[in-house]
Amino acid sequence: LCAHQEMITEASFYLFNATKGRVHFRSVKILIPPTWTEKSYETPKHESYDKADVIVAPPYWKHGDDPYTLQPGACGNMGKYIHFTPNFLVNDNLMDIYGSRGRVFVHEWAHLRWGVFDEYDSDRPFYVTGQNQVKVTRCSSDLTGIYVCEKKSCTDGSCVINKLTGLFKEGCAFIHERNQTAMSSLMYMQSLSSVAEFCDEHNHNREAPNLQNRMCDYRSTWEVIQNSTDFKNTLPVTNTSHITPPSFSLLQKRDRMICLALDISKTTAGGNWINRLHQAAELYLLQIVEENSYVGIVTFSHIGEIKTHMRQIVSGDVRKQLASYLPAAPGSKRTNVCAGLQLASEVIRKKDGNIYGSEIVLVTGGQDGHMKNCFSDTINSGSVIHTITVGSSAAKEIEHFSKETGGLKFFVPERLDFSDLLDAFSGILSRSGDTFNQSIQIESASDSTGGYKQLHRTVTIDSTVGRETFFVATWQTPEPPEITLFDPHGKGYTNKDFDIDSIFHVARLQIPGIAETGEWLYTLTNTHLSPQVLTMTVTSRAVNSTIPAVAVKAHTSKDTNDYPNPMVVYVQVSQGFSPVLGANVTAIISPENGDPISLELFDSGAGSDIVKNDGIYSKYFFSFPGNGRYSLKVHVQANRTIMPQTAMPWSHVLYIPGYVENGKIKMNPSRPSVIKNDLQIRRGGFHRTAAGGSFIISAVPVGPYADVFPPCKIIDLDARVEDDNVILSWTAPGDDFDKGRAAGYEIRTSETPLELRDNFYNTTIVNASSLSPERAGYKEIFAFKPGAFTTENITIIYVAIRAIDEVFLHSELSNIAQAVMFIPPMDSSTSNMEFSVSIILLLVFGLLAVVCLTASTTFCLLKKKDKKTVLETSTKLL
């Protein structure tokens, strides 16, 4: 704990100076793991592990302590969390590698809070400038150091130029002097004691091929930061005596306490409401809510009723007893949400004296114009309110309860014959960080099945799950469908093996012990002449507390949105902190009225997907059928073994290879090599389903409406030179964002990237009339022979693209790509050549295996080869 507090205190003063007297940390809340035996900590109010800004947890892969930030959004958008490892926080030897912990914190905080990116690039550590010089990919050119050659490519101990690329051959590194005078940049070398600022518009290196330039249209990090709402109407503080160290609160979650507040009014979602409510709430009590939780139940219509006070779930019998208190009949036609919330608070308070950190699951679909009467008391009570809003007639203010208390929010359309309500209840999980005991939804299938027809599916139980596995079927007719289920070895289960509830139309089977790994086949046969909706839900839990289960989390870029602005749907697929690649991800979006919309999501590094192969799949959503609430559900499936990715592509702190101090090189230990272990899915693939909450869309015009959606921005434009041609490649956008096919491309070139950015239409156009656009998502390749931009032996061309649709709407300008045509000089000897750079170079060592811990603002705890060196010179390339 002391290490956390020292880090953030140092970071606060460092951040205050870096932001020119505008920002510092006033208070910090640290969530203590519930497994710690000391119980004198305060009780959290709305704070939870999954909402933490900083996570402190062991690395998933057995190496590396690189701090990183999960940053799936565009430039200027907030990230998800920062991850530190315990070893990073207590091992002082790591400060030689990363710099002081407070400085590292500020570097990562800028990623998280203000959506800026790193100013170095591990894949392209060097580049050639327009002045014929090789420079390091970085921001601020005033750093000094020497070159170190470590590999066989550096013959005679000299770093040499690759005659084909004009860049240094592999093995050449730049080692910084420890004592510097340069003051920027924090997003490049925050480890140096002199560095105390972000690059701004005056010293920003716009030629460097780093992620900050690519993602932020060549704006400096300070320009992006200043555009944050944190800096609106914020003046610098001139009297620094008012800046005090942050205060720290230590919080620890107690046993989970939940009260279900269930709306039984007759106005809620039609005559079948009570049946569906019973099915979903029963599934939650019997399968979803974690062991040792305390659960109470209240119902309400115009008045409220306590069905049962808090009972601790310590056995299956207690679960069944709780389920027996669920409502079986509707109440009156009026809805009084305040009555339900007040009774729920009473039930919780009777058990624990106060309701801090407790949870209320509010399920309602009725109209109630008097919720404002209890709104202030409810949100200030300390309880987290999760809302499940049902149907289009539900009061528009309901989601305010979850928004203000940090709760989850779900929407269920009025088509209650499907599995939406079951999925919403399945998504209300403990947010303590204990994933081993969380329920995992494997399958959610529903279909309107014709007379004597079948719902027939295959579901995969992978090796990370299998404990407490349930198969649950629901139907509509008085008699159940014919149910058959086969495990991977052919063992069959039929109706006689299921517990069948004929009143509420539910059949449930718990697989004894650990469910077999592999494909399970189930069939539901409608034995009636008329069609009916049949559903199958499969849940399970992790089988091993030391091996995380494959998990799926879904969210959208906004909670509320106005037409015609697009939304982005994100789905994170991971095993522990390691991304899972190669999955098929489908989002199902259901509006208040109309049919569900299906979207296929990709982790391709194109369109809405910022980083390729980071395990975060995304897609634009912009075809809004109307105003109102929308629900999000995702299906994730893989048919083959998926290896978690070991090289994390997220925003991370630079691993420093060494320093020059008093004229001597002091190298840090090499980055640990990757140790592959058994943390993977060994057999077959996996299935997952997850509810992703809800969002609200406004200002959608009554159709038909004009095409107002341009092609999406191209963010992966790449350029290379073959012979005398420039070869471009990129992922095709669509006619509308990432959907369909664009009508054409406008390609232009320049000698400088800023000219392309600021005066695109005054630059040199490339004849692309022969280029017929591919469909969105497909790879485009185009070659052209450029005009002569020759300066001595280097020809540098910058290229950018805009896509055009059928009504001549243009996409945003693409990232600007650089093509370098290196022309070897007539006299090109050697291995011993000195190379030149007008300023300083740095090699970014190694790949990152970012893996990590739990702190926050909310903070959750849970012998060397001989080296030969060459002093830097300022001669030109030979």
Side-chain angles (χ1 to χ4, degrees):
L1 288 177
C2 289
H4 294 75
Q5 295 177 17
E6 290 170 0
M7 174 177 66
I8 299 174
T9 299
E10 178 194 1
S12 182
F13 290 103
Y14 190 47
L15 183 64
F16 179 77
N17 292 326
T19 58
K20 308 181 191 304
R22 289 173 172 85
V23 176
H24 66 102
F25 298 122
R26 179 175 298 165
S27 63
V28 179
K29 297 177 181 179
I30 302 178
L31 276 174
I32 307 298
T35 53
W36 287 23
T37 56
E38 175 62 50
K39 297 294 183 181
S40 62
Y41 304 113
E42 299 176 36
T43 301
K45 188 176 180 181
H46 299 149
E47 298 80 13
S48 64
Y49 180 95
D50 67 333
K51 297 291 186 179
D53 297 310
V54 182
I55 295 174
V56 180
Y60 179 59
W61 290 96
K62 296 180 179 179
H63 78 287
D65 291 286
D66 296 22
Y68 73 91
T69 300
L70 184 61
Q71 191 176 4
C75 181
N77 290 355
M78 284 187 64
K80 299 298 288 182
Y81 57 77
I82 299 169
H83 186 172
F84 295 124
T85 68
N87 190 47
F88 170 80
L89 294 174
V90 300
N91 187 348
D92 291 343
N93 293 329
L94 293 178
M95 287 194 281
D96 282 336
I97 294 173
Y98 304 108
S100 74
R101 297 186 187 98
R103 288 169 170 267
V104 170
F105 192 97
V106 172
H107 177 100
E108 295 303 326
W109 185 259
H111 285 309
L112 177 77
R113 184 73 183 183
W114 300 312
V116 296
F117 294 87
D118 289 320
E119 292 169 332
Y120 48 84
D121 192 292
S122 300
D123 296 325
R124 299 183 64 183
F126 302 107
Y127 67 100
V128 179
T129 73
Q131 290 75 42
N132 290 347
Q133 297 166 338
V134 177
K135 291 188 180 181
V136 66
T137 301
R138 88 301 193 201
C139 192
S140 184
S141 57
D142 300 326
L143 300 173
T144 59
I146 63 176
Y147 299 101
V148 174
C149 187
E150 295 189 282
K151 297 191 176 181
K152 293 180 180 180
S153 62
C154 306
T155 57
D156 297 328
S158 300
C159 291
V160 297
I161 298 295
N162 185 317
K163 297 179 181 180
L164 297 178
T165 67
L167 298 173
F168 299 126
K169 289 186 177 181
E170 182 183 5
C172 187
F174 188 79
I175 309 300
H176 290 81
E177 294 278 357
R178 184 180 286 277
N179 299 316
Q180 305 273 350
T181 58
M183 297 188 68
S184 58
S185 167
L186 290 171
M187 303 312 293
Y188 172 61
M189 281 290 287
Q190 82 291 327
S191 60
L192 295 174
S193 60
S194 68
V195 172
E197 299 176 350
F198 296 98
C199 272
D200 59 22
E201 62 271 26
H202 302 297
N203 60 13
H204 179 58
N205 181 3
R206 292 178 177 86
E207 292 184 323
N210 56 36
L211 204 56
Q212 172 66 22
N213 277 333
R214 182 161 70 87
M215 299 308 304
C216 298
D217 296 327
Y218 295 84
R219 289 180 294 159
S220 68
T221 52
W222 183 239
E223 289 175 279
V224 175
I225 291 170
Q226 283 186 300
N227 284 332
S228 165
T229 55
D230 291 346
F231 291 81
K232 300 297 183 184
N233 302 317
T234 301
L235 297 176
V237 175
T238 56
N239 188 352
T240 58
S241 63
H242 296 308
I243 305 304
T244 59
S247 63
F248 293 90
S249 301
L250 304 183
L251 314 175
Q252 187 178 49
K253 186 80 172 178
R254 304 293 189 260
D255 292 325
R256 191 181 186 197
M257 291 191 295
I258 314 157
C259 189
L260 305 184
L262 309 177
D263 184 353
I264 59 171
S265 60
K266 292 180 180 178
T267 58
T268 301
N272 201 31
W273 168 239
I274 294 299
N275 193 53
R276 286 302 185 187
L277 176 62
H278 193 285
Q279 291 175 352
E282 183 183 56
L283 178 137
Y284 182 72
L285 295 172
L286 297 183
Q287 302 172 216
I288 306 301
V289 67
E290 296 81 8
E291 199 82 358
N292 296 317
S293 300
Y294 287 87
V295 180
I297 303 171
V298 303
T299 60
F300 64 92
S301 52
H302 71 289
I303 60 172
E305 178 184 2
I306 298 175
K307 304 298 288 186
T308 178
H309 286 278
M310 286 289 178
R311 302 197 61 181
Q312 188 174 24
I313 297 177
V314 294
S315 67
D317 289 339
V318 175
R319 290 181 183 272
K320 291 177 182 178
Q321 290 167 10
L322 284 166
S324 70
Y325 293 108
L326 291 172
S332 67
K333 291 185 178 180
R334 290 175 48 213
T335 302
N336 187 342
V337 170
C338 286
L341 290 172
Q342 289 163 356
L343 277 183
S345 296
E346 179 184 325
V347 167
I348 297 169
R349 189 174 288 108
K350 186 174 182 180
K351 166 63 183 66
D352 205 45
N354 69 70
I355 66 174
Y356 268 33
S358 64
E359 300 167 69
I360 297 174
V361 180
L362 173 62
V363 186
T364 182
Q367 286 280 7
D368 182 1
H370 303 286
M371 283 187 292
K372 62 183 180 180
N373 296 338
C374 64
F375 182 74
S376 179
D377 289 342
T378 301
I379 65 172
N380 292 322
S381 68
S383 188
V384 175
I385 314 297
H386 307 300
T387 57
I388 301 177
T389 309
V390 183
S392 58
S393 62
K396 302 303 180 184
E397 299 81 13
I398 294 170
E399 285 87 354
H400 292 315
F401 287 107
S402 52
K403 179 181 179 180
E404 294 299 324
T405 63
L408 303 170
K409 56 182 174 47
F410 302 92
F411 167 66
V412 177
E414 290 182 353
R415 53 189 193 99
L416 282 172
D417 294 333
F418 291 88
S419 60
D420 304 277
L421 191 57
L422 295 165
D423 299 331
F425 269 98
S426 298
I428 302 176
L429 305 173
S430 167
R431 301 190 292 174
S432 67
D434 179 12
T435 58
F436 174 64
N437 288 309
Q438 285 183 348
S439 176
I440 297 169
Q441 192 171 11
I442 307 296
E443 170 83 324
S444 174
S446 61
D447 187 49
S448 180
T449 309
Y452 307 107
K453 301 296 183 180
Q454 296 179 332
L455 173 62
H456 179 76
R457 301 283 173 86
T458 299
V459 60
T460 301
I461 303 294
D462 62 86
S463 63
T464 68
V465 295
R467 183 170 59 96
E468 298 182 23
T469 302
F470 289 87
F471 287 77
V472 180
T474 69
W475 61 93
Q476 293 178 295
T477 56
E479 295 81 22
E482 182 181 302
I483 306 172
T484 59
L485 172 67
F486 293 95
D487 74 9
H489 297 296
K491 180 181 178 180
Y493 301 87
T494 61
N495 290 52
K496 64 182 178 61
D497 300 301
F498 283 72
D499 291 329
I500 295 179
D501 184 339
S502 298
I503 298 176
F504 292 105
H505 303 168
V506 181
R508 178 176 283 100
L509 171 67
Q510 181 175 2
I511 304 301
I514 304 300
E516 291 285 343
T517 298
E519 292 186 346
W520 292 65
L521 283 74
Y522 66 84
T523 302
L524 305 181
T525 303
N526 181 8
T527 58
H528 291 262
L529 179 62
S530 59
Q532 65 169 317
V533 173
L534 303 177
T535 76
M536 177 63 84
T537 302
V538 183
T539 65
S540 188
R541 299 186 197 273
V543 73
N544 191 321
S545 61
T546 63
I547 300 178
V550 173
V552 171
K553 297 179 181 179
H555 71 282
T556 55
S557 55
K558 302 175 185 177
D559 291 331
T560 59
N561 188 52
D562 293 330
Y563 175 92
N565 300 308
M567 302 277 289
V568 180
V569 179
Y570 296 101
V571 175
Q572 182 182 5
V573 187
S574 61
Q575 186 180 6
F577 287 102
S578 183
V580 174
L581 311 183
N584 299 312
V585 180
T586 303
I588 308 298
I589 298 173
S590 299
E592 286 188 359
N593 301 293
D595 296 328
I597 301 159
S598 178
L599 297 176
E600 187 177 1
L601 278 60
F602 300 97
D603 184 15
S604 59
S608 62
D609 192 69
I610 302 301
V611 181
K612 183 178 182 179
N613 289 340
D614 64 350
I616 299 176
Y617 301 73
S618 67
K619 187 76 171 179
Y620 284 109
F621 174 56
F622 53 89
S623 298
F624 312 124
N627 295 314
R629 297 179 173 101
Y630 288 71
S631 70
L632 169 63
K633 178 170 70 174
V634 296
H635 296 286
V636 181
Q637 177 266 336
N639 292 323
R640 57 186 176 82
T641 298
I642 303 297
M643 293 288 292
Q645 178 76 357
T646 59
M648 307 301 185
W650 301 322
S651 300
H652 59 85
V653 173
L654 183 63
Y655 192 103
I656 307 299
Y659 297 97
V660 178
E661 192 167 5
N662 298 323
K664 295 181 180 180
I665 298 176
K666 294 183 179 181
M667 298 299 290
N668 288 319
S670 299
R671 176 184 297 283
S673 59
V674 174
I675 302 174
K676 293 186 177 180
N677 51 32
D678 60 353
L679 303 185
Q680 62 191 56
I681 306 165
R682 296 194 194 92
R683 296 178 55 188
F686 65 90
H687 280 76
R688 294 291 186 272
T689 295
S694 63
F695 56 92
I696 297 174
I697 300 297
S698 308
V700 180
V702 177
Y705 45 80
D707 182 358
V708 294
F709 304 119
C712 65
K713 176 180 177 178
I714 296 166
I715 64 173
D716 62 344
L717 177 64
D718 182 70
R720 57 186 173 87
V721 174
E722 284 188 7
D723 299 326
D724 293 331
N725 293 318
V726 173
I727 312 298
L728 302 179
S729 63
W730 68 93
T731 302
D735 179 79
D736 297 334
F737 293 106
D738 53 4
K739 181 180 179 181
R741 189 195 306 265
Y745 296 108
E746 185 173 4
I747 304 174
R748 290 179 178 267
T749 66
S750 176
E751 296 183 27
T752 68
L754 294 188
E755 186 179 28
L756 283 170
R757 187 193 71 176
D758 300 332
N759 297 287
F760 182 72
Y761 292 109
N762 292 329
T763 56
T764 303
I765 193 166
V766 175
N767 184 354
S769 59
S770 63
L771 179 57
S772 180
E774 296 280 358
R775 291 191 61 82
Y778 285 83
K779 206 67 179 177
E780 298 272 26
I781 297 178
F782 178 71
F784 68 96
K785 191 168 185 176
F789 293 160
T790 304
T791 305
E792 297 190 7
N793 295 324
I794 301 290
T795 297
I796 301 176
I797 299 171
Y798 294 94
V799 189
I801 302 179
R802 274 183 172 161
I804 309 167
D805 70 6
E806 291 182 343
V807 296
F808 302 103
L809 294 175
H810 290 76
S811 70
E812 294 182 45
L813 187 67
S814 71
N815 65 290
I816 298 174
Q818 181 196 72
V820 180
M821 185 180 299
F822 179 66
I823 305 173
M826 296 298 293
D827 180 12
S828 64
S829 47
T830 181
S831 57
N832 219 4
M833 81 189 179
E834 286 192 314
F835 38 87
S836 53
V837 185
S838 66
I839 347 191
I840 307 307
L841 310 177
L842 164 73
L843 178 66
V844 176
F845 262 49
L847 289 175
L848 183 66
V850 281
V851 274
C852 309
L853 252 192
T854 321
S856 89
T857 12
T858 312
F859 218 96
C860 200
L861 293 177
L862 231 187
K863 164 164 171 246
K864 299 178 183 177
K865 296 181 180 178
D866 291 337
K867 300 176 178 68
K868 299 186 180 180
T869 64
V870 180
L871 291 175
E872 181 189 26
T873 67
S874 58
T875 57
K876 293 188 176 180
L877 295 177
L878 299 178

